[in-house]
Amino acid sequence: MNATVLLLPGDGIGPEVVAAAEQVLRAVAARFNHNFTFQSALIGGSALRKGLPPLPDDTLDAARTASAVLLGAVGDPEFDKGDSSRRPEAALLGIRRELQLYANLRPARVWPGLEAAGPLKPEVLAGTDMLVVRELTGGLYYGEPRGIAPDGRSAVNTMSYTRPEIERIARRAFDAARTRRKRVTSVDKANVLEVSRLWRAVVTDVANDYPDVTLDHMLVDACAMKLALAPASFDVILTENLFGDILSDEAGAIVGSLGLLPSASLGAGTSLFEPVHGSAPDIAGKDIANPIGAIASAAMLLRHALSLNDEASTVERAIARTLSAGRGTRDVFPANPVGTREMAASIAAGI
Ligand code: IPM
Ligand code: MN
């Protein structure tokens, strides 16, 4: 297959982990006789540093025409004081909006060999394998009105969702559940928020089209607790933008490290794949970042953007083999860690 992958390394540890994922994709191309072309473009702080906006037009144009986008991370403390539109994060919100990437899939599972890497007892963690389906282009992140009052004495953000927005993300969650254990937990705050009451009603309607999938509803505070107490009880978690942001970091900690979590952001056009972890400027450039989030995102790219299921599974098996051989970065194996580059080489060699 011919495919063009746009790499957006971005900030902090982004370039290191994207290089690791690229190495693995090149190994996949060689082994399975594909012709992958890699392009790269600026985003976030790396664009701001060159005097460009955080999401340059060229980057967006390249994203629209690529087969898929693989992003590292955006976020740079140097630009934290800028107004919202000049922050690196604005690029991420912009590309999600422009490509209409409303469905964010964040799988979190225990990898073999990492049963004891996280804070939970191995017997509590055993069997954990969940998928957070986060709505990504609505809610508080995008709602209007928003802003800080000119006198600086108040500020506002708006949580709003329409029926069609809820319906389309719910369908993604139910479709995903059909390929898994057929359970959807819809997470909201319906005891307080009207938006959540609409969310609950629409998700309940959509469930009628999926009689083979079991739906339950959970309040977000209770869900945060249950994730820590009984993570293996979840299959698909369906939730709005901000709740999904928070719960997916928690899911990362539970399975051993946020550095392990991949994501796919899907919409109508080009899909985008990125590790969940962010730019982690404190550890950038030290060859200690965990590349698995990015490499597993590359596996999701193969599966969701290119329909290369065998290739995707091959990447996931190579990750599993490396980890079960006791090789991992210091966030998962602090006693005896290997570096980012060595991890990437080991996983690429396993393809
Ligand atoms: C994520 C990140 C982003 C988000 C930030 C960097 C804007 O935390 O992808 O989870 O909040 O969506
Ligand atoms: Mn986040």
Side-chain angles (χ1 to χ4, degrees):
M1 146 173 313
N2 292 323
T4 304
V5 178
L6 178 67
L7 305 175
L8 301 178
D11 306 322
I13 59 173
E16 300 163 65
V17 299
V18 166
E22 181 187 351
Q23 185 177 351
V24 172
L25 285 174
R26 285 188 188 279
V28 168
R31 147 100 199 263
F32 292 89
N33 280 315
H34 296 305
N35 180 16
F36 295 163
T37 305
F38 295 92
Q39 297 173 347
S40 88
L42 297 169
I43 195 165
S46 68
L48 287 163
R49 276 172 203 286
K50 295 233 154 87
L52 296 165
L55 178 60
D57 289 343
D58 288 352
T59 300
L60 195 52
D61 290 345
R64 288 192 203 281
T65 54
S67 313
V69 179
L70 183 67
L71 187 144
V74 298
D76 182 332
E78 189 187 320
F79 300 105
D80 273 354
K81 290 186 189 61
D83 67 85
S84 314
S85 67
R86 298 287 299 168
R87 293 180 62 113
E89 289 80 1
L92 206 46
L93 302 192
I95 200 167
R96 289 172 180 172
R97 185 183 52 230
E98 292 303 319
L99 299 181
Q100 297 176 52
L101 302 170
Y102 66 87
N104 185 220
L105 313 187
R106 298 186 160 186
R109 57 154 155 156
V110 238
W111 290 95
L114 297 191
E115 293 83 355
L120 299 187
K121 297 186 200 76
E123 61 270 28
V124 173
L125 191 62
T128 296
D129 179 359
M130 70 182 99
L131 173 69
V132 179
V133 176
R134 170 187 176 193
E135 200 291 328
L136 201 60
T137 53
L140 281 167
Y141 278 61
Y142 294 92
E144 300 280 350
R146 66 182 301 155
I148 301 178
D151 67 3
R153 289 169 58 86
S154 66
V156 63
N157 287 97
T158 302
M159 185 191 275
S160 89
Y161 273 106
T162 63
R163 252 175 196 278
E165 284 177 312
I166 302 168
E167 206 180 303
R168 65 182 181 178
I169 189 70
R171 289 194 186 282
R172 293 277 185 163
F174 283 98
D175 288 340
R178 279 191 165 155
T179 70
R180 301 170 48 95
R181 300 195 306 283
K182 299 191 170 53
R183 288 205 43 192
V184 172
T185 303
S186 176
V187 175
D188 61 40
K189 189 70 184 171
N191 53 344
V192 179
L193 303 176
E194 286 79 3
V195 175
S196 285
R197 282 178 218 141
L198 180 68
W199 181 278
R200 210 174 258 226
V202 175
V203 172
T204 303
D205 285 350
V206 171
N208 290 327
D209 293 342
Y210 296 84
D212 51 323
V213 178
T214 309
L215 167 68
D216 58 5
H217 302 276
M218 201 177 283
L219 299 173
V220 63
D221 50 351
C223 178
M225 181 171 71
K226 194 157 183 204
L227 272 174
L229 293 176
S233 67
F234 292 96
D235 181 15
V236 175
I237 293 178
L238 161 63
T239 194
E240 65 90 44
N241 204 341
L242 182 65
F243 297 162
D245 179 47
I246 297 167
L247 295 175
S248 56
D249 270 33
E250 187 185 355
I254 283 168
V255 298
S257 168
L258 189 54
L260 297 165
L261 256 52
S263 82
S265 301
L266 313 174
T270 315
S271 306
L272 181 146
F273 302 84
E274 63 173 314
V276 175
H277 52 59
S279 62
D282 51 321
I283 61 163
K286 297 183 177 162
D287 196 40
I288 57 179
N290 191 338
I292 291 179
I295 295 170
S297 297
M300 292 188 88
L301 183 158
L302 293 166
R303 182 175 293 120
H304 293 279
L306 308 180
S307 300
L308 297 174
N309 294 319
D310 290 348
E311 288 81 342
S313 304
T314 301
V315 171
E316 286 159 353
R317 278 197 303 272
I319 295 171
R321 270 202 306 279
T322 294
L323 287 171
S324 43
R327 297 162 70 76
T329 43
R330 62 165 202 178
D331 51 323
V332 290
F333 291 136
N336 189 17
V338 303
T340 310
R341 283 196 289 268
E342 199 179 326
M343 276 304 281
S346 167
I347 295 167
I351 299 296

